[in-house]
């Protein structure tokens, strides 16, 4: 046996596939796991890590991250590495870094100026080349966003046959470049203007290249159950596996729906459809405030929304909508710092302080900042835990990427960005012991690798990629809070990405060993 680069000795090894830990030494040779077995002598490796009292696990896979526009910024992956994440999947909720077609170019150019990144690509393949040239702190795979496709070729609400064909051609090219599948954000404009048939057509394109369909469904509140049925229908008609994004039932009238949704998913699975969902361990969402007004307001984009909201007719329509749907304004907290002095306040509190109707104030805030972000405390703890503890669910972060690391901030993130995985382990496997630690590890390693069809990732096994983490079970702790969401997690002692030591006892090494992970039919990279 050739000399190992690292030999990890004495750890309790959770291999990602089995529940009980094993007592094994694990060796790293270049970018692979090169040894599993009995203890070896000191001469067997260049460096031996004494890991007694620690847990060795495969690196975690975050199946639901944001757009990936922040990888060129310093410390782009710090908050993920401190949570033991070695792979993240971006391009979710219908928005991806590419392909960037004609009508999307000026929007991307504007965003590049606002946030501070170089916009020098059009195709997804060109984006892959750009970020690989700069270097990645962890492994990255991406979906192609339906809204990105639609916004690039269709400036209006209705997509013509030619425009749908153009979307399909762009998706096919991106799949050849290595995209993992198609994502949709059917609650957001412009994705919300697409009918089921449009998504089915694109899902078939993704399926032809062994891709999957990840869906932020059309509604996560009163029409949640119908929206889940639509996602299942798309999977059946499109011949594609379905991963439902960050499952939740928002607002009190909808609490209690998650067990029924799980039953629907279980029936579809029993009928032969590959369908699953992700969930994050919080009872608050985070999204743009404009998500809560009628979709027709957004038919001409954010600028058109502002023009409409300045008219009395559209203001009344939005106010009536917000009131009728029972929006919980006291639970809706602004996190955008573009409106000075308002971040951290709920809309209900601001309305009382200003003696304003909260629905009218919401319209005023959108006029001040059409891109305002909020945190919305609207999920039942029981519903969230029912989803989290279901044996087949996948745990994710649903986290921002570019606002966290960009030189120009847009406000504070949801604490899930810095703490989702440590919170999950701490609260459900280590402290309250709602599920075995090995089962918790499976939910964030081998199982998502299986769903995403990532070869040789997510397990500690001979020949697998050496994405490994050493955790101190006594110190695993989420430190991020809603008041201070940018605090790094604790308890992740060592992280290797493709065999390269990137985090060591709280110290980050200046390495960028991450790789682009492409769909398994792609021969690039």
């Amino acid at each position: 046996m050739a000399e190992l680069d690292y030999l990890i000795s004495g750890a309790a090894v959770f291999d990602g596939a089995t529940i009980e830990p094993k007592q094994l030494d694990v060796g790293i040779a270049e970018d692979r796991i090169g040894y599993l077995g009995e203890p070896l002598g000191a001469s067997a490796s260049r460096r031996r890590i004494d890991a007694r009292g620690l847990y060795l696990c495969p690196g975690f896979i975050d199946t639901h991250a944001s757009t990936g526009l922040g990888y060129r910024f310093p410390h782009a992956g710090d908050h993920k590495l401190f949570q033991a994440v070695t792979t993240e999947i971006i391009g979710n909720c219908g928005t991806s870094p590419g392909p960037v077609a004609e009508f999307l170019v000026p929007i991307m150019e504007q965003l590049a100026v606002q946030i501070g990144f170089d916009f020098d690509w059009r195709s997804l393949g060109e984006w892959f080349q750009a970020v690989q040239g700069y270097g990645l702190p962890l492994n990255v795979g991406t979906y192609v966003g339906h809204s990105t496709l639609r916004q690039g070729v269709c400036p209006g609400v209705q997509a013509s046959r030619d425009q749908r064909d153009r979307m399909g051609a762009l998706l096919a090219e991106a799949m050849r470049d290595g995209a993992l599948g198609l994502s949709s954000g059917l609650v957001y404009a412009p994705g919300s203007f697409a009918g089921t048939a449009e998504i089915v057509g694109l899902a078939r394109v993704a399926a032809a290249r062994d891709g999957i369909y990840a869906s932020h469904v059309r509604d996560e509140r009163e029409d949640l159950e119908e929206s889940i049925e639509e996602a299942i229908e798309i999977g059946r008609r499109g011949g594609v596996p379905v991963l439902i994004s960050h499952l939740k039932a928002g607002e009190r009238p909808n609490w209690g729906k998650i067990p029924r949704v799980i039953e629907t998913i279980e029936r579809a699975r029993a009928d032969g459809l590959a369908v699953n969902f992700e969930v994050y361990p919080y009872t608050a969402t985070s999204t743009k405030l404009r998500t809560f007004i009628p979709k027709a307001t957004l038919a001409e984009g954010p600028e058109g929304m502002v023009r409409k909201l300045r008219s009395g007719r559209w203001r009344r329509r939005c106010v009536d909508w917000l009131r009728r749907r029972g929006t919980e304004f006291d639970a809706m907290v602004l996190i955008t710092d573009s409106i000075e002095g308002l971040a951290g306040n709920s809309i209900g509190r601001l309305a009382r302080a200003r003696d304003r109707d909260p629905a009218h104030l919401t319209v005023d805030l959108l006029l001040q900042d059409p891109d305002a972000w909020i945190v919305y405390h609207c999920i039942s703890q029981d519903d969230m835990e029912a989803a989290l503890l279901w044996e087949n669910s996948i745990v994710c972060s649903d986290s921002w990427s570019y606002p966290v690391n960009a030189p120009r901030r847009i406000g504070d993130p949801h604490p899930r960005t810095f703490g989702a995985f440590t919170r999950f382990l701490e609260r459900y496997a280590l402290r309250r012991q709602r599920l075995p630690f090995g089962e918790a590890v499976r939910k964030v390693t081998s199982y998502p690798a299986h769903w995403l069809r990532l070869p040789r990732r997510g397990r500690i096994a001979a020949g697998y990629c050496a994405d490994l983490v050493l955790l101190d079970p006594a110190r695993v702790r989420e430190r991020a809070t809603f008041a201070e969401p940018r605090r790094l997690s604790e308890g992740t002692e060592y992280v290797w990405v493709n065999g390269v030591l990137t985090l060591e006892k709280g110290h980050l090494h200046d390495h960028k060993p991450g790789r682009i992970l492409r769909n398994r039919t792609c021969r690039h990279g």
Side-chain angles (χ1 to χ4, degrees):
M1 183 179 67
E3 185 182 33
L4 300 167
D5 297 308
Y6 296 94
L7 183 65
I8 304 164
S9 299
V13 178
F14 292 89
D15 65 9
T18 56
I19 304 304
E20 296 301 320
K22 301 173 182 177
Q23 293 298 320
L24 299 169
D25 275 16
V26 177
I28 298 172
E30 297 183 345
D31 63 345
R32 301 282 170 165
I33 297 172
Y35 177 78
L36 294 167
E38 297 297 320
L40 296 175
S43 63
S45 64
R46 295 184 178 91
R47 181 175 176 189
R48 179 180 177 275
I49 306 291
D50 183 352
R52 286 174 294 181
L54 303 181
Y55 291 174
L56 181 66
C57 311
F60 299 171
I61 299 171
D62 186 357
T63 58
H64 198 110
S66 187
T67 56
L69 297 179
Y71 294 129
R72 296 189 184 188
F73 303 138
H75 308 292
D78 293 8
H79 58 297
K80 291 292 180 72
L81 294 170
F82 274 87
Q83 295 178 71
V85 172
T86 58
T87 296
E88 65 176 9
I89 308 303
I90 64 169
N92 282 282
C93 295
T95 303
S96 59
V100 182
E102 176 185 358
F103 294 109
L104 189 55
V105 170
I107 297 171
M108 288 294 293
E109 290 174 339
Q110 182 182 21
L111 193 63
V113 172
Q114 290 174 344
I115 297 173
F117 63 88
D118 294 327
F119 173 49
D120 52 6
W121 71 90
R122 294 294 183 271
S123 72
L124 192 62
E126 290 170 345
W127 182 79
F128 284 159
Q129 289 181 333
V131 294
Q132 281 181 314
Y134 186 76
L136 290 164
L138 35 63
N139 303 307
V140 174
T142 186
Y143 303 113
V144 175
H146 164 248
S147 292
T148 296
L149 294 171
R150 205 175 204 274
Q151 202 163 12
V153 305
C154 178
V157 171
Q158 297 298 323
S160 68
R161 177 62 180 270
D162 286 346
Q163 288 167 337
R164 292 197 299 271
D165 288 345
R166 176 66 174 144
M167 283 187 254
L170 287 167
L171 174 58
E173 178 187 17
M175 292 298 297
R176 288 192 293 272
D177 286 336
L180 299 178
L182 171 73
S183 82
S184 66
L186 299 182
V187 72
Y188 304 118
S192 56
F193 302 125
T196 302
E198 180 176 313
I199 309 300
V200 169
L202 292 172
R204 288 171 177 161
V205 174
R209 299 289 297 192
D210 210 21
I212 71 172
Y213 171 55
S215 180
H216 183 147
V217 296
R218 204 173 291 273
D219 187 85
E220 297 177 321
R221 294 172 178 82
E222 58 267 23
D223 293 328
L224 170 65
E225 291 169 285
E226 296 81 355
S227 297
I228 296 295
E229 291 283 7
E230 182 188 31
I232 290 170
E233 178 187 355
I234 291 167
R236 286 179 175 143
R237 291 171 57 188
V240 67
V242 177
L243 183 61
I244 294 166
S245 299
H246 46 54
L247 182 66
K248 66 180 75 72
E251 299 176 338
R252 291 176 188 274
N254 306 301
W255 289 4
K257 288 184 176 180
I258 292 301
R260 297 202 300 271
V261 166
I262 292 174
E263 290 176 0
T264 299
I265 290 170
E266 287 177 334
R267 285 195 298 271
R269 290 166 66 97
D271 289 341
L273 179 66
V275 55
N276 207 348
F277 63 81
E278 313 158 325
V279 59
Y280 52 77
Y282 296 86
T283 57
T285 70
S286 182
T287 189
K288 289 187 177 182
L289 182 58
R290 67 186 186 219
T291 304
F292 295 86
I293 62 175
K295 298 299 180 287
T297 318
L298 294 160
E300 289 84 41
E303 292 181 359
M305 178 194 75
V306 169
R307 288 194 301 272
K308 287 178 179 178
L309 292 183
R310 286 176 177 154
S311 75
R313 181 173 69 90
W314 278 99
R315 173 182 279 270
R316 287 191 298 273
R317 182 173 177 178
C318 289
V319 166
D320 289 345
W321 174 266
L322 287 163
R323 290 171 176 166
R324 189 167 62 251
R325 70 190 305 278
T327 307
E328 298 179 41
F329 295 104
D330 281 323
M332 194 174 278
V333 179
L334 288 162
I335 57 175
T336 298
D337 56 12
S338 59
I339 308 174
E340 187 174 355
L342 299 191
N345 288 285
S346 74
I347 292 177
R349 178 182 177 185
L350 289 170
R352 289 189 293 274
R354 298 179 180 193
D355 196 23
R356 291 279 287 156
D357 175 85
H360 277 287
L361 178 60
T362 299
V363 175
D364 293 341
L365 293 169
L366 286 170
L367 287 171
Q368 291 180 71
D369 181 5
D371 292 316
W373 280 80
I374 62 161
V375 161
Y376 193 23
H377 298 268
C378 64
I379 303 170
S380 155
Q381 183 78 18
D382 289 343
D383 274 353
M384 182 272 286
E385 292 187 351
L388 193 76
L389 299 175
W390 185 56
E391 62 178 346
N392 295 303
S393 64
I394 293 170
V395 178
C396 70
S397 73
D398 187 18
S399 64
W400 287 355
S401 55
Y402 70 80
V404 173
N405 309 299
R408 300 182 183 90
R409 287 171 48 171
I410 68 167
D412 277 322
H414 190 299
R416 65 194 180 194
T417 304
F418 281 68
F421 290 90
T422 39
R423 180 188 185 93
F424 169 58
L425 294 181
E426 177 187 7
R427 296 197 174 199
Y428 294 95
L430 293 172
R431 306 293 180 262
R432 294 167 59 194
Q433 298 182 342
R434 297 289 301 277
L435 75 173
F437 189 83
E439 175 63 16
V441 170
R442 186 187 73 89
K443 281 176 170 285
V444 295
T445 58
S446 64
Y447 197 52
H450 163 75
W451 261 89
L452 296 168
R453 304 173 176 185
L454 302 177
R456 297 190 177 276
R457 304 272 174 184
R459 289 183 58 192
I460 298 177
Y464 270 59
C465 297
D467 296 335
L468 297 170
V469 297
L470 271 171
L471 305 175
D472 183 345
R475 294 186 59 248
V476 169
R477 185 164 72 99
E478 175 199 25
R479 297 181 66 248
T481 65
F482 286 99
E484 296 182 87
R486 294 174 183 264
R487 301 173 70 185
L488 293 166
S489 290
E490 293 179 347
T492 303
E493 298 294 299
Y494 293 82
V495 175
W496 288 266
V497 178
N498 296 311
V500 177
L501 185 60
T502 59
L503 176 64
E504 181 176 4
K505 294 185 176 180
H507 173 71
L508 282 163
H509 296 291
D510 190 20
H511 301 314
K512 293 185 177 179
R515 296 174 182 168
I516 295 293
L517 305 184
R518 294 172 167 86
N519 75 66
R520 60 188 179 186
T521 71
C522 179
R523 297 185 179 181
H524 298 289

